[in-house]
Amino acid sequence: MLESRYLRRLLAPLILSFFAIGWYKFSEGTLANANQIVLNTANFAVYVQQTQYDGYLTATRYICYVVVYVGLALFWYNLVKIVEAKERNG
Amino acid sequence: MVLSPVFSESWAEVYAFFALGGFILGWVAQRGNYCFVNAMTSIFTTRSFERFGALLILFGLSALGCGLLVAFGVIPAVDQYYFNYFAGWYILVGSFIFGFGAALAGGCNLSMLYRAASGYVQNWIELFGMMIGTYVFAVGIWPFQQYTMEKGIFSTTMGGYVEYLPYDIFHSVSPMAIYITTLMLGLPLVLLGIYLQQYTKKKWLANLRIAPQGLPISMTISPQGQVLGEEKTKTSWKKEVKDLLLLKKPYGTNLATVLLALDIILVYIAGAGYTFNYLVITSSDGGRFFEYILMLFGVNLFTNTPWFNDSLPIVDPSTLMVIMLCVGAFTASFLSGDFKIRIPREKKRLLIGFLGGMLVGIGVRVALGCNVGLMWTNFAQLGYDGIIFLFGMLGGIYLAVKVQERL
């Protein structure tokens, strides 16, 4: 059975990676749809222009790549460290 | 008037810069344990001005950095005043409510976010309370407040350059007027901050002298001892830097202050011509995330709810900034080994956190911004709303300290 501190070290980077993916998917789907509804109702106080929105999505996508890579790197690094420690201690 | 971008970055780059700014903000605030509310609370509880002095230095450096960029023509003046808010009764009332609520909940807008990302459950509850508070404000207070703002009842009706100190003092936005105002605002803040920090340190030293005796005096005054001491200082300085880089030690208050001031200047330069006043807004996103959560259930607040339907764009650079603030704080706390889910032992702290969070949500919306987006940012904008907010917040925190003493 893994101790809670090991679990924390393994789960936290994975949660970070899933959060980044989830945020991008939410932005691409739900938020884009909401922006379209705003445009259809001609509420220009809330509407975000398409070029600006595309910029937001592009930045979010690249941030998502970076966060997922970093999260996975941390996950594997911690996994190797934990396995090493477990082997050393029997 | 249309703002023309100073640097011709694409929108994606603007968002990326704001995201980077948010990441730095979260990282540095977490490593420096930077909290505006704690800084002010310590004035009334421990009579310590060390962290409050650092806050004043932060405001002064931000004003100097942004003001001098404008005074020397790197960034047009219009960028500094274009998004200045209206000033009025609501800033004083809102900042008072905010200060009271934040002191009860145990964190300002900035510390709430980085502590929530570091695993503090009380701050999760505070954030949720803030979302509910924003909704209460939107349906219960905003229509009335908007009416007073439109009619100019205890409120200015223009914002912009009318709230710009160089214009208020010299009736001009010339480089010389901005230069003099920048120095008049920034330098005294920095000097006062340094003075307050020195005052507190002297007080601590005086208290230490009263305390039981430490090392014998002879050990500290021999010449050999001095040389040894210098070498030791050199080595310890290198070790200090190494420890900071390897996240073994938290950042000192003043190091965090300088890094945060550089961060706001970075975002100011990147956002010039786009969205300066969206700089480091962390409060709108309390409402925005509530709206996002409801969107998942098919409820769209932006269609018919006051404030949500006229004041909150679906996304803006602050959205990514707040997200990345949390990512930065989480990364810093995780890599340094600080990250841990922390549930308060006293369960009533959760309830207090929620109620305090609600007051924070109401307060920041009434004031039109929080300690970061309104107070800190407004000092950098050479406005006077930040000064009003500072005194209102101090008043609210003082009341909260007195209330907590009696609880």
Side-chain angles (χ1 to χ4, degrees):
Chain A
M1 191 68 184
L2 275 176
E3 292 167 37
S4 67
R5 67 192 166 107
Y6 288 147
L7 265 181
R8 199 165 62 229
R9 280 166 59 185
L10 290 178
L11 281 181
L14 285 183
I15 291 171
L16 181 69
S17 300
F18 281 124
F19 171 74
I21 296 168
W23 185 261
Y24 177 68
K25 284 288 168 196
F26 175 74
S27 300
E28 196 188 31
T30 313
L31 287 185
N33 186 36
N35 206 33
Q36 194 56 45
I37 295 172
V38 168
L39 180 63
N40 294 343
T41 52
N43 185 350
F44 296 107
V46 181
Y47 176 66
V48 180
Q49 289 183 8
Q50 199 53 47
T51 48
Q52 186 179 343
Y53 198 86
D54 289 342
Y56 164 76
L57 277 184
T58 308
T60 309
R61 186 168 61 245
Y62 281 103
I63 289 168
C64 177
Y65 291 151
V66 172
V67 173
V68 169
Y69 283 137
V70 170
L72 289 181
L74 282 173
F75 170 77
W76 287 113
Y77 175 79
N78 284 331
L79 187 63
V80 170
K81 284 276 173 194
I82 289 166
V83 171
E84 273 180 0
K86 285 272 174 199
E87 279 181 354
R88 223 178 296 130
N89 301 330
Chain B
M1 187 186 289
V2 176
L3 287 175
S4 56
V6 177
F7 305 104
S8 51
E9 318 105 297
S10 65
W11 269 110
E13 287 163 328
V14 174
Y15 275 100
F17 269 117
F18 274 72
L20 176 66
F23 186 88
I24 295 171
L25 188 62
W27 180 287
V28 173
Q30 199 281 335
R31 296 311 299 146
N33 195 18
Y34 217 85
C35 177
F36 287 51
V37 167
N38 283 356
M40 294 186 191
T41 308
S42 60
I43 299 174
F44 305 118
T45 51
T46 56
R47 307 274 175 223
S48 164
F49 290 91
E50 202 239 351
R51 283 185 172 254
F52 183 68
L55 269 192
L56 295 185
I57 296 173
L58 176 67
F59 298 154
L61 288 179
S62 306
L64 284 173
C66 296
L68 291 178
L69 281 172
V70 176
F72 288 113
V74 180
I75 289 171
V78 64
D79 274 302
Q80 208 163 24
Y81 63 73
Y82 187 78
F83 283 112
N84 253 341
Y85 291 128
F86 305 169
W89 63 270
Y90 34 85
I91 295 184
L92 196 60
V93 172
S95 56
F96 187 88
I97 298 171
F98 167 76
F100 183 76
L104 279 187
C108 65
N109 255 48
L110 177 62
S111 59
M112 172 184 68
L113 289 170
Y114 79 71
R115 283 189 191 137
S118 309
Y120 287 82
V121 174
Q122 185 176 336
N123 294 99
W124 299 357
I125 303 289
E126 184 188 356
L127 186 57
F128 181 64
M130 190 181 155
M131 293 178 186
I132 303 296
T134 305
Y135 183 76
V136 171
F137 157 83
V139 295
I141 302 172
W142 176 238
F144 163 73
Q145 183 173 336
Q146 202 175 22
Y147 176 80
T148 65
M149 287 167 73
E150 282 167 4
K151 300 286 176 192
I153 302 168
F154 295 114
S155 166
T156 58
T157 51
M158 283 187 71
Y161 66 88
V162 176
E163 314 253 326
Y164 193 43
L165 283 174
Y167 181 81
D168 294 331
I169 298 169
F170 299 105
H171 292 284
S172 161
V173 291
S174 67
M176 186 49 77
I178 295 167
Y179 180 71
I180 295 171
T181 313
T182 301
L183 296 184
M184 276 166 52
L185 181 70
L187 280 181
L189 282 169
V190 173
L191 293 175
L192 181 62
I194 293 170
Y195 169 76
L196 288 175
Q197 288 192 327
Q198 293 303 320
Y199 169 78
T200 304
K201 275 178 194 161
K202 271 183 195 161
K203 216 169 73 175
W204 287 345
L205 281 175
N207 287 344
L208 275 178
R209 283 195 195 107
I210 298 166
Q213 289 177 356
L215 290 171
I217 292 170
S218 58
M219 280 180 72
T220 57
I221 57 170
S222 81
Q224 285 167 329
Q226 271 183 344
V227 174
L228 277 175
E230 277 169 20
E231 276 175 14
K232 210 175 176 183
T233 316
K234 241 184 205 172
T235 327
S236 67
W237 186 81
K238 276 183 187 168
K239 193 177 177 309
E240 182 97 357
V241 173
K242 201 177 153 190
D243 285 350
L244 287 175
L245 289 174
L246 293 176
L247 303 177
K248 286 181 181 170
K249 274 181 98 171
Y251 296 172
T253 313
N254 285 345
L255 175 63
T257 299
V258 171
L259 292 175
L260 290 178
L262 289 174
D263 190 33
I264 205 173
I265 293 168
L266 165 82
V267 177
Y268 181 39
I269 295 171
Y274 292 95
T275 56
F276 179 48
N277 211 33
Y278 289 140
L279 188 54
V280 270
I281 289 185
T282 48
S283 55
S284 321
D285 292 282
R288 188 172 272 136
F289 294 142
F290 184 58
E291 188 178 33
Y292 289 172
I293 291 169
L294 291 182
M295 269 180 199
L296 295 171
F297 300 100
V299 179
N300 293 319
L301 291 178
F302 58 79
T303 52
N304 53 10
T305 311
W307 188 72
F308 288 95
N309 67 359
D310 62 5
S311 304
L312 197 65
I314 296 292
V315 291
D316 63 35
S318 76
T319 315
L320 264 189
M321 181 167 241
V322 171
I323 293 288
M324 289 307 286
L325 190 160
C326 296
V327 171
F330 170 80
T331 312
S333 68
F334 181 75
L335 292 178
S336 63
D338 288 346
F339 182 81
K340 193 181 175 189
I341 305 291
R342 295 170 174 92
I343 302 168
R345 278 190 194 152
E346 287 181 87
K347 293 291 174 268
K348 74 171 181 185
R349 292 296 318 163
L350 295 177
L351 179 66
I352 293 173
F354 177 75
L355 294 175
M358 269 188 77
L359 290 174
V360 166
I362 293 171
V364 293
R365 293 282 38 97
V366 170
L368 305 179
C370 66
N371 56 313
V372 178
L374 186 78
M375 183 166 65
W376 177 20
T377 302
N378 199 254
F379 275 102
Q381 285 175 311
L382 305 184
Y384 58 80
D385 297 352
I387 301 168
I388 302 173
F389 195 104
L390 176 64
F391 285 105
M393 189 174 163
L394 276 170
I397 287 175
Y398 176 75
L399 183 66
V401 168
K402 291 292 159 199
V403 168
Q404 281 175 325
E405 277 172 4
R406 283 164 195 254
L407 282 178

